[in-house]
Amino acid sequence: YHYEGSTFCDRSQISPDGQYIAYVVDKGESRSIFIKDILGESEIELFDGLKSVNCLKWSPTGNEIFFSAGFSNSTYSSYIIPKLGGKTQQFQYNQNGSWSPDGSLIAGIRVSDKQIKLIKRETGDIYKLLDLTGSFTWLFDIDWSPNGKKLAFNTSDNNTGTSTIWTINIDGTQQQKI
């Protein structure tokens, strides 16, 4: 988290080529996603009117940004938007997610579900559902292994107050606690 002048900014992510930074600006009652070239010369507001931003991640190519956001009506959605703005693709299935290394899938999670949804990037359709085991209340933060064969995710359990990191193969096998 940091301040630019008197404006609070968070969720900063540098593009894979190191040329851009995407970040969230707190505008009081709402938040906006901005992109700025790393030299700080130009800034573009990509999306505004958000209540919260749960994740902000660059595509492997650096041409698009995936983000999950909450709105004032207590709904959540995820989106992909081109890095310089344009047509936005909406995903209904999750509140958080991560790009596969080849950019073809999004591993999506909904905070209270015990599932990981592998979503086709091009269509937004569910490719595969991974049912999870274990005692936990919340599922959050997810990322792919560099070879695209495993996922790592965090859970927390309200009853015990514990947080756990898990891994699972993308075919749904070998879930294990780390």
Side-chain angles (χ1 to χ4, degrees):
Y1 301 110
H2 68 283
Y3 284 90
E4 283 191 8
S6 62
T7 305
F8 178 69
C9 304
D10 68 345
R11 298 270 182 210
S12 301
Q13 294 287 311
I14 296 174
S15 64
D17 66 4
Q19 298 300 306
Y20 295 91
I21 185 166
Y23 56 96
V24 178
V25 173
D26 183 341
K27 294 182 167 183
E29 294 294 315
S30 69
R31 283 152 189 73
S32 292
I33 296 173
F34 281 83
I35 184 173
K36 186 184 252 186
D37 69 63
I38 212 72
L39 299 174
E41 297 300 321
S42 79
E43 175 181 70
I44 299 170
E45 184 175 30
L46 295 178
F47 210 97
D48 65 352
L50 306 169
K51 182 177 180 185
S52 63
V53 177
N54 301 329
C55 78
L56 182 68
K57 298 186 180 178
W58 286 92
S59 66
T61 63
N63 292 327
E64 299 170 304
I65 298 168
F66 173 84
F67 67 95
S68 293
F71 297 89
S72 58
N73 62 1
S74 298
T75 62
Y76 289 87
S77 260
S78 295
Y79 301 88
I80 293 175
I81 191 164
K83 75 176 176 186
L84 298 178
K87 185 175 165 106
T88 303
Q89 181 180 0
Q90 184 176 10
F91 295 86
Q92 295 291 341
Y93 306 114
N94 54 301
Q95 289 173 284
N96 206 329
S98 183
W99 294 90
S100 63
D102 69 2
S104 68
L105 297 171
I106 302 279
I109 57 175
R110 190 180 310 266
V111 175
S112 58
D113 287 352
K114 286 195 172 186
Q115 288 182 325
I116 294 173
K117 297 157 184 71
L118 300 182
I119 303 163
K120 294 179 183 178
R121 183 267 166 262
E122 288 300 320
T123 63
D125 296 331
I126 294 177
Y127 168 74
K128 188 174 194 87
L129 291 173
L130 308 181
D131 291 314
L132 304 175
T133 61
S135 175
F136 56 88
T137 311
W138 300 102
L139 171 63
F140 58 97
D141 290 337
I142 189 165
D143 205 1
W144 292 77
S145 64
N147 66 8
K149 294 182 179 181
K150 281 191 179 288
L151 294 161
F153 59 96
N154 293 327
T155 64
S156 66
D157 189 325
N158 287 354
N159 298 322
T160 63
T162 59
S163 294
T164 306
I165 299 171
W166 301 79
T167 61
I168 191 169
N169 292 337
I170 64 162
D171 66 2
T173 62
Q174 297 183 0
Q175 180 183 334
Q176 61 184 344
K177 190 184 295 189
I178 303 295

